């Protein structure tokens, strides 16, 4: 594989826990393809939310129009 995504489902939400890709294929957009494919799969399973989890990195924010603030204790 050139990219993988690992996550888990709870209720109607997919939690995107970990993603990885081959650096020599980064310019091919394989990470975006993996994320998009995972989102499509989540939707096909009837899931209604896709949670990238913290931190709010720029690549994560590029996929959304809104974000939920998260605070450490």
């Amino acid at each position: 594989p050139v990219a993988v995504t690992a996550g888990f489902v709870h209720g109607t939400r997919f939690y995107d826990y970990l993603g990885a890709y081959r650096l020599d294929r980064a310019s091919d957009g394989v990470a975006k393809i993996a994320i998009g494919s995972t989102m499509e799969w989540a939707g096909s399973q009837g899931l209604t939310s896709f949670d990238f989890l913290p931190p709010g990195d720029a690549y994560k924010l590029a996929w959304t129009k809104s974000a939920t603030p998260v605070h450490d204790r």
Side-chain angles (χ1 to χ4, degrees):
V2 295
V4 295
T5 301
F8 53 95
V9 174
H10 180 72
T12 60
R13 184 178 296 248
F14 179 83
Y15 295 88
D16 187 41
Y17 185 70
L18 179 68
Y21 60 92
R22 284 181 30 188
L23 294 178
D24 64 323
R25 297 296 300 274
S27 63
D28 296 331
V30 295
K32 289 181 182 179
I33 293 168
I35 292 169
S37 295
T38 304
M39 287 181 170
E40 288 180 2
W41 173 86
S44 75
Q45 300 302 302
L47 304 177
T48 58
S49 297
F50 191 96
D51 191 331
F52 277 109
L53 301 172
D57 295 325
Y59 81 90
K60 297 175 181 180
L61 296 172
W63 289 90
T64 186
K65 294 180 183 171
S66 64
T68 303
V70 177
H71 303 280
D72 284 336
R73 293 184 190 197

